[in-house]
Amino acid sequence: MLNHAFKRLLGAVPTLLLLITLAFFLMRAAPGGPFDRERALPPQIEAALQADYHLDQPLWRQYLGYLGGLAHGDLGPSFQYTGFSVAELIASGAPVSFRLGASAMILAVLLGGLLGCLAALRRNSAFDRALMALAMLGISVPNYVVAPLLILLFAICLGWLPAGGWSSHGIGDAGLPVLALALPQIAVIARLMRASMIETLSANFIRTARAKGLPMHLIVWRHALRPAALPVLSYLGPAAAGIVTGSVVIEQVFGIPGIGRYFVQAALNRDYTLVLGVVIFYGALIILFNFLVDLLYGTLDPRMRLG
């Protein structure tokens, strides 16, 4: 198990380096620059800005210089937010994005797993068919469509929840963003859990438990839940990536001051260092989450530990 974890950590280094390289050169290949304005700057001022941020150097030298700073933990200064480093901007938005993403992930796992189990236990019933139809709808409709619909229903028509904003106190303002971010993942997890639970309930050890006279709720809780949860656990890595990318849209729609809004504004303003910093932060986070999922998978499945 330790060898497996060590190999995964070593494999994460070239993956992250490839991500940094692609983001660096693709951002530079986009038209426009960080100091382009509707009103052109005087040539002397533009040249001074280019020299100050090392944009007058060849592209390969900029890349090597960025990697050198990154090796020392320096993500560089922001081109648009004068006086702030990229690390400071990420640190200011990270707590909000973490709270939003973690809440959406917990809601998706708990609610999606519960609905999937109920659908499997009532297989081919009206409840099962209706739930799977709603799950397919949830997978098909993107969250940038779901979010305005939730605002229209719960904020404007019913007036139950605020339409936007964010505060560190209370959960009322977090209800709609968390729900909008979690809904696609709830749909996927519910379908995965249903299929896995149906397969697990037909296994021989479940038949043995039934033959011993155990009630169904104990069979599910003690015997079926752990093996049925393994496909869901494997999906948590892609689910984390989906929540991370979805939070960029959700933060913009609901006016949440997280990293996602910085990313959108940085991409529009060609703030190279801020875009790269957010990409590196999110990429490292997804790699770390996949690594933790692998370790947890080995804990739940003894065959992984034996391997």
Side-chain angles (χ1 to χ4, degrees):
M1 190 65 185
L2 289 178
N3 287 335
H4 175 70
F6 183 69
K7 289 178 181 178
R8 292 286 296 182
L9 284 177
L10 287 181
V13 176
T15 301
L16 193 58
L17 180 61
L18 178 62
L19 177 65
I20 295 169
T21 303
L22 289 175
F24 183 91
F25 287 103
L26 287 175
M27 193 66 193
R28 261 50 172 200
F35 305 114
D36 292 347
R37 299 288 189 275
E38 294 181 2
R39 182 178 178 181
L41 294 173
Q44 298 85 352
I45 296 178
E46 186 173 357
L49 287 172
Q50 296 276 349
D52 190 37
Y53 289 99
H54 307 292
L55 296 177
D56 57 338
Q57 298 179 355
L59 195 57
W60 63 269
R61 183 167 292 177
Q62 295 181 43
Y63 173 68
L64 293 179
Y66 185 79
L67 289 182
L70 193 61
H72 294 87
D74 182 15
L75 294 174
S78 171
F79 292 170
Q80 297 295 328
Y81 296 91
T82 308
F84 291 92
S85 68
V86 172
E88 290 173 341
L89 294 174
I90 291 177
S92 66
V96 176
S97 294
F98 272 134
R99 179 185 167 191
L100 176 64
S103 301
M105 179 65 77
I106 293 171
L107 178 62
V109 171
L110 294 180
L111 188 55
L114 176 62
L115 293 176
C117 288
L118 292 177
L121 293 175
R122 303 180 183 181
R123 183 181 180 185
N124 295 328
S125 65
F127 173 81
D128 179 28
R129 294 190 180 94
L131 184 61
M132 289 302 102
L134 289 175
M136 183 58 67
L137 183 64
I139 295 172
S140 305
V141 180
N143 52 17
Y144 59 80
V145 175
V146 173
L149 292 177
L150 292 178
I151 293 174
L152 179 64
L153 177 61
F154 292 103
I156 297 176
C157 296
L158 300 176
W160 290 352
L161 295 169
W166 188 270
S167 70
S168 58
H169 306 288
I171 60 172
D173 54 352
L176 286 182
V178 169
L179 183 60
L181 187 57
L183 276 177
Q185 307 306 327
I186 291 174
V188 176
I189 290 174
R191 291 183 64 87
L192 281 174
M193 194 67 183
R194 175 188 179 273
S196 181
M197 183 61 73
I198 289 174
E199 182 179 356
T200 303
L201 290 176
S202 62
N204 291 332
F205 67 94
I206 297 297
R207 294 195 188 99
T208 303
R210 285 176 175 171
K212 290 181 179 179
L214 287 178
M216 181 54 68
H217 69 278
L218 287 181
I219 292 175
V220 172
W221 180 254
R222 293 182 180 178
H223 302 286
L225 188 59
R226 177 180 289 190
L230 291 178
V232 175
L233 186 62
S234 299
Y235 175 71
L236 290 185
I243 284 180
V244 164
T245 55
S247 68
V248 174
V249 177
I250 295 300
E251 289 177 16
Q252 194 72 13
V253 171
F254 289 95
I256 298 174
I259 301 176
R261 293 192 70 189
Y262 284 134
F263 182 78
V264 173
Q265 294 302 319
L268 294 175
N269 295 325
R270 299 295 186 270
D271 193 341
Y272 296 152
T273 51
L274 185 53
V275 170
L276 280 171
V278 175
V279 168
I280 293 169
F281 178 79
Y282 276 153
L285 191 65
I286 292 172
I287 290 173
L288 175 63
F289 198 83
N290 278 293
F291 173 71
L292 294 177
V293 166
D294 278 351
L295 294 182
L296 186 57
Y297 198 100
T299 301
L300 293 179
D301 190 355
R303 292 172 296 181
M304 290 289 294
R305 294 198 297 269
L306 293 175

